[in-house]
Amino acid sequence: MERLRDYGQLLLEWNRTASNLVSRDDESRLVERHIRESLEPIAWLMESGCQRWLDVGSGGGFPAIPLGMAGVTGKWTLVESRRNKALFLGKVVQVLGLKNFEVINDRVEILAEDQARQATFDAVTSRATMRLTPTLLAVEPLVEPGGTAFLWKGSRHLEEIEAAKKSAPKWRHVTSMTLSNGTNAVARFLKSHD
């Protein structure tokens, strides 16, 4: 809890002085809106047994940093295309001593072209980034067969899931969890073995 509090303080300081990591309206709801929502499906992630995590569009570190701090074990690779946000993530990793975290300042599509990175992750997380189909297609080369995607989505998650079923054939929707705010959800997909 103390490290999560330190993380929240760092985020608010950086948000007010260096870069817009969360909206100003969300600063007062940081715990409820961002940290708690990141942690709600933690049992799913822990039960998955995954150990090589890719977090896409990490921004202010959600959901990866709260999940890693709360006990989702393994190596976390955070990919953020915006330099100022990647710098923040690097600062968090350094200041809080997060040894199992790596920050990459690049687009996931560029990372997917790196032969050395292909099929090296067994799970992917993403919150409030692209729609489901483009996310699943972008990470497809990076996730090993049988890998899992845990994707936080907004109020149009049902529509996006139906579109992904048709447009991302290597991924199968397993289940979804509605978050406590009642509108957002986490969709869980498995990558096929073929």
Side-chain angles (χ1 to χ4, degrees), residues 41-80:
I42 193 169
W44 272 5
L45 281 77
M46 293 177 90
E47 290 166 3
S48 74
C50 296
Q51 290 295 304
R52 294 166 294 138
W53 298 91
L54 173 68
D55 186 65
V56 177
S58 300
F62 303 110
I65 290 176
L67 287 166
M69 290 176 137
V72 178
T73 60
K75 170 120 171 89
W76 285 89
T77 300
L78 282 59
V79 179
E80 174 52 53

Short mmCIF file of all heavy atoms in Angstrom, two decimals, residues 41-80:
data_model
loop_
_atom_site.label_atom_id
_atom_site.label_comp_id
_atom_site.label_asym_id
_atom_site.label_seq_id
_atom_site.Cartn_x
_atom_site.Cartn_y
_atom_site.Cartn_z
N PRO A 41 -9.39 -6.95 -11.72
CA PRO A 41 -9.29 -8.33 -12.22
C PRO A 41 -8.00 -9.04 -11.81
O PRO A 41 -7.58 -10.00 -12.46
CB PRO A 41 -9.34 -8.14 -13.74
CG PRO A 41 -8.67 -6.84 -13.96
CD PRO A 41 -9.05 -5.98 -12.76
N ILE A 42 -7.35 -8.61 -10.73
CA ILE A 42 -6.05 -9.16 -10.35
C ILE A 42 -6.07 -10.68 -10.17
O ILE A 42 -5.11 -11.37 -10.54
CB ILE A 42 -5.48 -8.47 -9.09
CG1 ILE A 42 -3.99 -8.82 -8.91
CG2 ILE A 42 -6.29 -8.79 -7.85
CD1 ILE A 42 -3.28 -7.99 -7.86
N ALA A 43 -7.17 -11.23 -9.68
CA ALA A 43 -7.25 -12.69 -9.50
C ALA A 43 -7.10 -13.41 -10.84
O ALA A 43 -6.42 -14.44 -10.92
CB ALA A 43 -8.55 -13.07 -8.81
N TRP A 44 -7.72 -12.88 -11.89
CA TRP A 44 -7.59 -13.47 -13.22
C TRP A 44 -6.13 -13.53 -13.65
O TRP A 44 -5.67 -14.54 -14.14
CB TRP A 44 -8.33 -12.61 -14.25
CG TRP A 44 -9.76 -12.89 -14.46
CD1 TRP A 44 -10.56 -13.76 -13.78
CD2 TRP A 44 -10.57 -12.26 -15.43
NE1 TRP A 44 -11.82 -13.70 -14.28
CE2 TRP A 44 -11.86 -12.80 -15.29
CE3 TRP A 44 -10.34 -11.30 -16.41
CZ2 TRP A 44 -12.92 -12.40 -16.11
CZ3 TRP A 44 -11.38 -10.90 -17.21
CH2 TRP A 44 -12.67 -11.45 -17.07
N LEU A 45 -5.44 -12.42 -13.48
CA LEU A 45 -4.05 -12.35 -13.94
C LEU A 45 -3.16 -13.28 -13.13
O LEU A 45 -2.30 -13.95 -13.67
CB LEU A 45 -3.54 -10.91 -13.87
CG LEU A 45 -3.98 -10.02 -15.04
CD1 LEU A 45 -5.41 -9.56 -14.89
CD2 LEU A 45 -3.07 -8.82 -15.18
N MET A 46 -3.40 -13.34 -11.83
CA MET A 46 -2.59 -14.21 -10.98
C MET A 46 -2.85 -15.68 -11.28
O MET A 46 -1.94 -16.49 -11.31
CB MET A 46 -2.82 -13.88 -9.51
CG MET A 46 -2.30 -12.49 -9.15
SD MET A 46 -2.62 -12.02 -7.46
CE MET A 46 -1.13 -12.64 -6.68
N GLU A 47 -4.10 -16.02 -11.52
CA GLU A 47 -4.47 -17.41 -11.82
C GLU A 47 -3.97 -17.86 -13.19
O GLU A 47 -3.83 -19.05 -13.43
CB GLU A 47 -5.99 -17.58 -11.77
CG GLU A 47 -6.58 -17.48 -10.38
CD GLU A 47 -8.10 -17.31 -10.39
OE1 GLU A 47 -8.71 -17.33 -11.49
OE2 GLU A 47 -8.66 -17.15 -9.30
N SER A 48 -3.69 -16.91 -14.08
CA SER A 48 -3.28 -17.26 -15.44
C SER A 48 -1.92 -17.94 -15.48
O SER A 48 -1.62 -18.67 -16.43
CB SER A 48 -3.24 -16.00 -16.32
OG SER A 48 -2.10 -15.21 -16.01
N GLY A 49 -1.09 -17.70 -14.47
CA GLY A 49 0.24 -18.28 -14.45
C GLY A 49 1.22 -17.60 -15.40
O GLY A 49 2.36 -18.04 -15.54
N CYS A 50 0.79 -16.55 -16.06
CA CYS A 50 1.66 -15.84 -17.01
C CYS A 50 2.80 -15.16 -16.26
O CYS A 50 2.64 -14.71 -15.13
CB CYS A 50 0.85 -14.82 -17.79
SG CYS A 50 -0.43 -15.57 -18.83
N GLN A 51 3.96 -15.08 -16.91
CA GLN A 51 5.15 -14.51 -16.29
C GLN A 51 5.84 -13.46 -17.16
O GLN A 51 6.72 -12.76 -16.68
CB GLN A 51 6.15 -15.62 -15.95
CG GLN A 51 5.70 -16.52 -14.83
CD GLN A 51 5.59 -15.78 -13.51
OE1 GLN A 51 6.55 -15.19 -13.04
NE2 GLN A 51 4.41 -15.82 -12.89
N ARG A 52 5.49 -13.38 -18.43
CA ARG A 52 6.13 -12.41 -19.33
C ARG A 52 5.04 -11.49 -19.86
O ARG A 52 4.33 -11.82 -20.80
CB ARG A 52 6.85 -13.14 -20.46
CG ARG A 52 8.04 -13.98 -19.94
CD ARG A 52 8.55 -14.95 -20.96
NE ARG A 52 7.51 -15.97 -21.21
CZ ARG A 52 7.21 -16.43 -22.41
NH1 ARG A 52 7.85 -16.03 -23.47
NH2 ARG A 52 6.26 -17.33 -22.55
N TRP A 53 4.92 -10.33 -19.23
CA TRP A 53 3.81 -9.40 -19.46
C TRP A 53 4.22 -8.27 -20.39
O TRP A 53 5.26 -7.66 -20.20
CB TRP A 53 3.35 -8.81 -18.14
CG TRP A 53 2.82 -9.83 -17.19
CD1 TRP A 53 3.52 -10.51 -16.24
CD2 TRP A 53 1.48 -10.30 -17.11
NE1 TRP A 53 2.69 -11.38 -15.57
CE2 TRP A 53 1.43 -11.27 -16.09
CE3 TRP A 53 0.31 -9.99 -17.80
CZ2 TRP A 53 0.26 -11.93 -15.73
CZ3 TRP A 53 -0.86 -10.65 -17.44
CH2 TRP A 53 -0.87 -11.60 -16.43
N LEU A 54 3.35 -7.96 -21.35
CA LEU A 54 3.51 -6.81 -22.23
C LEU A 54 2.35 -5.87 -21.94
O LEU A 54 1.19 -6.25 -22.05
CB LEU A 54 3.48 -7.25 -23.69
CG LEU A 54 3.47 -6.15 -24.74
CD1 LEU A 54 4.80 -5.40 -24.74
CD2 LEU A 54 3.19 -6.74 -26.13
N ASP A 55 2.67 -4.63 -21.55
CA ASP A 55 1.62 -3.63 -21.33
C ASP A 55 1.72 -2.60 -22.45
O ASP A 55 2.76 -1.96 -22.62
CB ASP A 55 1.79 -2.96 -19.96
CG ASP A 55 0.63 -2.03 -19.65
OD1 ASP A 55 -0.50 -2.53 -19.52
OD2 ASP A 55 0.84 -0.81 -19.57
N VAL A 56 0.65 -2.45 -23.21
CA VAL A 56 0.65 -1.61 -24.41
C VAL A 56 -0.01 -0.27 -24.13
O VAL A 56 -1.10 -0.22 -23.56
CB VAL A 56 -0.09 -2.34 -25.56
CG1 VAL A 56 -0.17 -1.46 -26.78
CG2 VAL A 56 0.60 -3.65 -25.88
N GLY A 57 0.64 0.81 -24.55
CA GLY A 57 0.10 2.15 -24.33
C GLY A 57 0.04 2.46 -22.85
O GLY A 57 -0.98 2.91 -22.33
N SER A 58 1.16 2.25 -22.17
CA SER A 58 1.19 2.30 -20.71
C SER A 58 0.84 3.65 -20.11
O SER A 58 0.35 3.71 -18.98
CB SER A 58 2.58 1.86 -20.21
OG SER A 58 2.85 0.56 -20.63
N GLY A 59 1.06 4.74 -20.82
CA GLY A 59 0.68 6.06 -20.33
C GLY A 59 1.22 6.35 -18.95
O GLY A 59 2.42 6.41 -18.73
N GLY A 60 0.33 6.51 -17.98
CA GLY A 60 0.72 6.78 -16.60
C GLY A 60 1.06 5.51 -15.82
O GLY A 60 1.32 5.58 -14.62
N GLY A 61 1.04 4.36 -16.48
CA GLY A 61 1.41 3.11 -15.82
C GLY A 61 0.26 2.18 -15.52
O GLY A 61 0.44 1.16 -14.86
N PHE A 62 -0.93 2.51 -16.02
CA PHE A 62 -2.11 1.68 -15.75
C PHE A 62 -2.37 0.72 -16.90
O PHE A 62 -2.30 1.13 -18.05
CB PHE A 62 -3.34 2.58 -15.54
CG PHE A 62 -3.17 3.58 -14.45
CD1 PHE A 62 -3.06 4.93 -14.74
CD2 PHE A 62 -3.10 3.19 -13.13
CE1 PHE A 62 -2.89 5.86 -13.74
CE2 PHE A 62 -2.92 4.12 -12.12
CZ PHE A 62 -2.82 5.46 -12.43
N PRO A 63 -2.64 -0.52 -16.61
CA PRO A 63 -2.80 -1.16 -15.32
C PRO A 63 -1.52 -1.79 -14.75
O PRO A 63 -1.50 -2.29 -13.64
CB PRO A 63 -3.82 -2.26 -15.61
CG PRO A 63 -3.46 -2.72 -16.99
CD PRO A 63 -3.05 -1.45 -17.71
N ALA A 64 -0.44 -1.82 -15.53
CA ALA A 64 0.74 -2.63 -15.21
C ALA A 64 1.38 -2.33 -13.86
O ALA A 64 1.66 -3.24 -13.09
CB ALA A 64 1.79 -2.47 -16.31
N ILE A 65 1.61 -1.05 -13.56
CA ILE A 65 2.35 -0.75 -12.32
C ILE A 65 1.55 -1.15 -11.08
O ILE A 65 2.08 -1.83 -10.21
CB ILE A 65 2.82 0.72 -12.31
CG1 ILE A 65 3.93 0.88 -13.36
CG2 ILE A 65 3.30 1.13 -10.92
CD1 ILE A 65 4.46 2.27 -13.54
N PRO A 66 0.27 -0.78 -10.96
CA PRO A 66 -0.47 -1.26 -9.79
C PRO A 66 -0.53 -2.79 -9.71
O PRO A 66 -0.39 -3.36 -8.63
CB PRO A 66 -1.87 -0.65 -9.97
CG PRO A 66 -1.65 0.57 -10.78
CD PRO A 66 -0.53 0.20 -11.72
N LEU A 67 -0.70 -3.46 -10.84
CA LEU A 67 -0.77 -4.92 -10.83
C LEU A 67 0.54 -5.53 -10.37
O LEU A 67 0.55 -6.44 -9.54
CB LEU A 67 -1.15 -5.44 -12.22
CG LEU A 67 -2.60 -5.22 -12.63
CD1 LEU A 67 -2.77 -5.45 -14.13
CD2 LEU A 67 -3.53 -6.12 -11.83
N GLY A 68 1.65 -5.05 -10.91
CA GLY A 68 2.95 -5.56 -10.52
C GLY A 68 3.25 -5.31 -9.05
O GLY A 68 3.80 -6.16 -8.35
N MET A 69 2.88 -4.12 -8.56
CA MET A 69 3.11 -3.79 -7.16
C MET A 69 2.23 -4.63 -6.23
O MET A 69 2.62 -4.92 -5.10
CB MET A 69 2.82 -2.31 -6.91
CG MET A 69 3.81 -1.38 -7.52
SD MET A 69 3.26 0.31 -7.24
CE MET A 69 4.79 1.06 -6.78
N ALA A 70 1.06 -5.02 -6.72
CA ALA A 70 0.10 -5.76 -5.88
C ALA A 70 0.33 -7.27 -5.92
O ALA A 70 -0.40 -8.00 -5.27
CB ALA A 70 -1.32 -5.42 -6.30
N GLY A 71 1.32 -7.73 -6.69
CA GLY A 71 1.65 -9.14 -6.61
C GLY A 71 1.53 -9.96 -7.87
O GLY A 71 1.72 -11.17 -7.83
N VAL A 72 1.19 -9.35 -9.02
CA VAL A 72 1.21 -10.10 -10.27
C VAL A 72 2.68 -10.25 -10.66
O VAL A 72 3.32 -9.28 -11.06
CB VAL A 72 0.39 -9.41 -11.38
CG1 VAL A 72 0.48 -10.21 -12.68
CG2 VAL A 72 -1.06 -9.27 -10.96
N THR A 73 3.19 -11.44 -10.50
CA THR A 73 4.63 -11.66 -10.64
C THR A 73 5.05 -11.81 -12.10
O THR A 73 4.22 -11.99 -12.99
CB THR A 73 5.06 -12.93 -9.87
OG1 THR A 73 4.34 -14.04 -10.40
CG2 THR A 73 4.79 -12.78 -8.39
N GLY A 74 6.35 -11.75 -12.31
CA GLY A 74 6.91 -11.92 -13.63
C GLY A 74 7.59 -10.65 -14.10
O GLY A 74 7.73 -9.68 -13.35
N LYS A 75 7.99 -10.67 -15.35
CA LYS A 75 8.67 -9.52 -15.97
C LYS A 75 7.64 -8.71 -16.74
O LYS A 75 6.88 -9.24 -17.53
CB LYS A 75 9.76 -10.03 -16.92
CG LYS A 75 10.35 -8.98 -17.78
CD LYS A 75 11.84 -8.86 -17.54
CE LYS A 75 12.49 -7.95 -18.55
NZ LYS A 75 12.52 -6.59 -18.20
N TRP A 76 7.64 -7.41 -16.49
CA TRP A 76 6.72 -6.49 -17.16
C TRP A 76 7.48 -5.63 -18.16
O TRP A 76 8.48 -5.00 -17.80
CB TRP A 76 6.04 -5.58 -16.14
CG TRP A 76 4.97 -6.24 -15.34
CD1 TRP A 76 5.13 -6.91 -14.16
CD2 TRP A 76 3.58 -6.29 -15.64
NE1 TRP A 76 3.91 -7.38 -13.71
CE2 TRP A 76 2.95 -7.00 -14.61
CE3 TRP A 76 2.81 -5.80 -16.69
CZ2 TRP A 76 1.58 -7.25 -14.59
CZ3 TRP A 76 1.44 -6.03 -16.68
CH2 TRP A 76 0.84 -6.75 -15.63
N THR A 77 7.01 -5.58 -19.40
CA THR A 77 7.55 -4.68 -20.42
C THR A 77 6.46 -3.68 -20.75
O THR A 77 5.40 -4.05 -21.24
CB THR A 77 7.98 -5.46 -21.68
OG1 THR A 77 9.00 -6.40 -21.30
CG2 THR A 77 8.52 -4.52 -22.73
N LEU A 78 6.73 -2.41 -20.46
CA LEU A 78 5.76 -1.34 -20.68
C LEU A 78 6.14 -0.61 -21.97
O LEU A 78 7.27 -0.13 -22.10
CB LEU A 78 5.76 -0.34 -19.52
CG LEU A 78 5.03 -0.77 -18.24
CD1 LEU A 78 5.57 -2.04 -17.65
CD2 LEU A 78 5.07 0.35 -17.22
N VAL A 79 5.22 -0.54 -22.91
CA VAL A 79 5.46 0.10 -24.20
C VAL A 79 4.62 1.37 -24.27
O VAL A 79 3.39 1.32 -24.17
CB VAL A 79 5.12 -0.84 -25.37
CG1 VAL A 79 5.36 -0.15 -26.71
CG2 VAL A 79 5.93 -2.12 -25.28
N GLU A 80 5.31 2.50 -24.44
CA GLU A 80 4.64 3.80 -24.51
C GLU A 80 5.30 4.62 -25.62
O GLU A 80 6.51 4.82 -25.60
CB GLU A 80 4.74 4.54 -23.17
CG GLU A 80 4.22 5.94 -23.17
CD GLU A 80 2.81 6.09 -23.72
OE1 GLU A 80 1.91 5.38 -23.24
OE2 GLU A 80 2.61 6.90 -24.65
#
